[in-house]
């Protein structure tokens, strides 16, 4: 989430002279905004906490999304919607089954998001200084987010591979380390980065659309850029939903590359392991046509909206809290 932060740059003097009635969604007219420069440690700490919460709170829905993106699912793993899927998984496989793979996700999300936020903030400020002399620039937001994604995905991609293989129906792996050891022994270390190019191809436009949408929403809901949770939640949810829907076809291809779905590959007489984004696209289209590229879109949007909203609100809160502690 994959996610980044928006700098809150209004000054204390601005908040003091602007009345509450003139500030939409502002709960406190004298609310002190964050200073324009915050330490890298603050961004990394806040980012790590936000990233872990983003991936964990809605994790059961992510498990459903992975299964619904299966191109040729087992008859016992065919679901009409997210609610029915969760209900059946819990009833037939146990209450903790939707949480399988959560441990590796948390292990990857912390450092991945810490690097992501720190990189994004540094690049965004540098590019904004060049493009708009320090002002807010949508181009700077998109470029900075896209570049930070390269670092984020380099850390997160192996975790995604293990996570999705453990989420699949009838997963053959006993646990996290069994999955890591088996994949390494049978497919080699390269298997953990087989979908890296596809992941980047998906996440770069995802983040670009996400940041631009978030910034546009913030200009309307929080024009003075104060720390205000409700505006971060609404803007983040909208940005996450739009970005998730647009990039679902790439996510389906990424899931196929990560899981190496045996039934689907065998039906197409594909021996060995499927590699490359172009091959994934061809395989998905040959198996299910255009409709297959949007398998699991409902679960993906349902997962991304609250996840993104949570990540934004948590990140902004921790950034604000840590900054206030530094000032004191």
């Amino acid at each position: 989430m994959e996610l980044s932060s928006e700098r809150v740059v209004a000054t204390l003097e601005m908040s003091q002279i602007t009345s509450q009635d003139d500030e939409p969604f502002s709960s406190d007219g004298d609310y002190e905004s964050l200073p324009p420069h915050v330490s890298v440690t603050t961004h990394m700490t806040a980012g790590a906490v936000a990233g872990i919460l983003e991936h964990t709170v809605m994790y059961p829905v992510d498990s459903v999304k992975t299964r619904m993106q299966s191109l040729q699912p087992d008859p016992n793993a065919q679901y009409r919607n997210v609610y029915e899927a969760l209900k059946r998984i819990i009833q037939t496989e146990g209450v903790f089954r939707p949480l399988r793979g959560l441990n590796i996700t948390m292990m990857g999300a912390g450092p991945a998001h810490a690097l992501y936020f720190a990189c994004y903030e540094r690049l965004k400020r540098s590019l904004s200084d060049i493009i708009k002399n320090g002002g807010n620039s949508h181009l700077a937001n998109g470029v900075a987010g896209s570049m930070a994604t390269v670092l984020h995905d380099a850390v997160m991609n192996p975790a995604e591979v293990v996570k999705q293989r453990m989420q699949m129906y009838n997963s053959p792996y006993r646990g996290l380390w069994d999955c890591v050891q088996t994949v390494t022994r049978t497919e080699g270390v390269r298997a953990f980065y087989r979908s890296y190019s596809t992941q980047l191809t998906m996440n770069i436009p995802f983040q670009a659309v996400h940041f631009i949408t978030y910034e546009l929403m913030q200009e309307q809901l929080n024009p003075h850029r104060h720390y205000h949770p409700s505006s971060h939640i609404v803007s983040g949810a909208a940005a996450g939903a739009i970005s998730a829907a647009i990039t679902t076809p790439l996510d389906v291809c990424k899931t196929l590359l990560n899981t190496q779905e045996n039934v689907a590959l065998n039906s197409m007489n594909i021996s060995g392991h499927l590699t490359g984004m172009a091959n994934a696209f061809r395989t998905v289209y040959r198996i299910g046509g255009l409709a297959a590229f949007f398998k699991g879109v409902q679960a993906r949007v349902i997962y991304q909206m609250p996840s993104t909203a949570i990540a934004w609100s948590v990140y902004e809160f921790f950034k604000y809290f840590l900054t206030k502690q530094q000032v004191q």
Side-chain angles (χ1 to χ4, degrees), residues 125-260:
R125 182 160 298 281
S126 298
L127 292 173
S128 294
D129 288 340
I130 296 172
I131 297 172
K132 277 200 171 182
N133 196 27
N136 180 50
S137 168
H138 296 314
L139 177 60
N141 300 333
V143 173
S146 298
M147 294 302 294
T149 298
V150 176
L151 276 180
H152 171 276
D153 288 356
V155 176
M156 200 65 192
N157 206 87
E160 282 283 321
V161 173
V162 176
K163 177 199 76 173
Q164 290 198 301
R165 293 200 180 204
M166 294 180 68
Q167 287 175 332
M168 294 294 284
Y169 180 74
N170 274 343
S171 173
Y173 308 107
R174 295 189 302 273
L176 164 62
W177 296 115
D178 178 53
C179 181
V180 172
Q181 292 171 350
T182 302
V183 172
T184 303
R185 183 177 63 253
T186 59
E187 303 177 43
V189 176
R190 293 181 61 183
F192 295 106
Y193 285 94
R194 190 177 284 135
S195 65
Y196 184 53
S197 60
T198 303
Q199 182 106 336
L200 285 177
T201 305
M202 174 184 72
N203 281 343
I204 288 176
F206 177 95
Q207 297 296 355
V209 172
H210 168 235
F211 293 139
I212 291 171
T213 303
Y214 183 86
E215 295 284 358
L216 290 172
M217 292 286 290
Q218 281 289 285
E219 287 179 357
Q220 299 300 316
L221 303 180
N222 189 18
H224 299 289
R225 304 305 173 104
H226 293 288
Y227 166 67
H228 195 274
S230 63
S231 71
H232 299 312
I233 290 172
V234 174
S235 300
I242 294 171
S243 303
I246 291 175
T247 56
T248 294
L250 290 163
D251 193 51
V252 172
C253 294
K254 181 206 76 172
T255 297
L256 178 61
L257 289 170
N258 279 346
T259 60
Q260 296 290 304

Side-chain angles (χ1 to χ4, degrees), residues 64 67 74-79 82-98 100 167-171:
V64 170
R67 292 196 180 193
D74 185 282
N76 294 322
Q78 295 180 356
Y79 314 108
V82 175
Y83 174 75
E84 188 226 0
L86 279 174
K87 182 178 178 181
R88 282 177 53 190
I89 291 172
I90 292 173
Q91 288 177 341
T92 60
E93 302 176 51
V95 67
F96 294 111
R97 186 61 178 81
R100 200 160 190 257
Q167 287 175 332
M168 294 294 284
Y169 180 74
N170 274 343
S171 173

